[in-house]
Amino acid sequence: MQKMTVNFLDGESYSVAVRGHEFTVDQPLDAGGDDLGPTPVELFTASLATCVGYYAGRYLARHDLPREGLRVETEFAMAGDRPARVAEVRMRLVVPGDLPEQRRKALAAVVGHCTVHNSIRQPPHVVIDVD
């Protein structure tokens, strides 16, 4: 299994260490944080969007198509009821150049099966041990 460590910093902020990288996760000012980094929910949504971008980029490279200008514009909405969760994610994949319709359909199929999306469709078994 791959490992990462999350450590409390101060207030509502936490550091995340994974594979030699470190970043801060926090809450916005209006939620009691210091806004030192994205929220866990923003990271969740960003994980999905970057996975889609990665799969799109690999598809384009495999077909000798340009990746410069490739982007994923993403919005998400929280559910209004309990439990607290993301209710909707909308993504717009913007591809560079004129991608033929046949390639667009194939690209949509490829990005729809990125690892993070698959993990939402078939959620992992999550175990939380408290020491």
Side-chain angles (χ1 to χ4, degrees), residues 16-92:
V16 180
V18 59
R19 291 186 312 101
H21 304 282
E22 191 167 332
F23 59 93
T24 301
V25 176
D26 199 1
Q27 296 295 316
L29 296 172
D30 63 2
D34 292 317
D35 204 18
L36 299 175
T39 69
V41 174
E42 290 166 340
L43 285 177
F44 169 75
T45 307
S47 292
L48 179 57
T50 54
C51 192
V52 165
Y54 170 73
Y55 273 61
R58 297 294 300 153
Y59 176 88
L60 294 172
R62 209 170 33 253
H63 295 283
D64 295 319
L65 296 166
R67 291 189 283 181
E68 292 75 24
L70 173 66
R71 71 179 184 276
V72 183
E73 298 172 352
T74 308
E75 298 177 312
F76 68 94
M78 300 299 292
D81 59 350
R82 296 281 179 217
R85 66 195 183 283
V86 174
E88 182 176 12
V89 178
R90 291 182 178 261
M91 289 181 279
R92 180 174 173 251

Side-chain angles (χ1 to χ4, degrees), residues 114-129:
C114 80
T115 305
V116 176
H117 200 181
N118 286 342
S119 299
I120 295 168
R121 283 192 187 113
Q122 295 181 14
H125 177 73
V126 177
V127 177
I128 302 174
D129 295 321

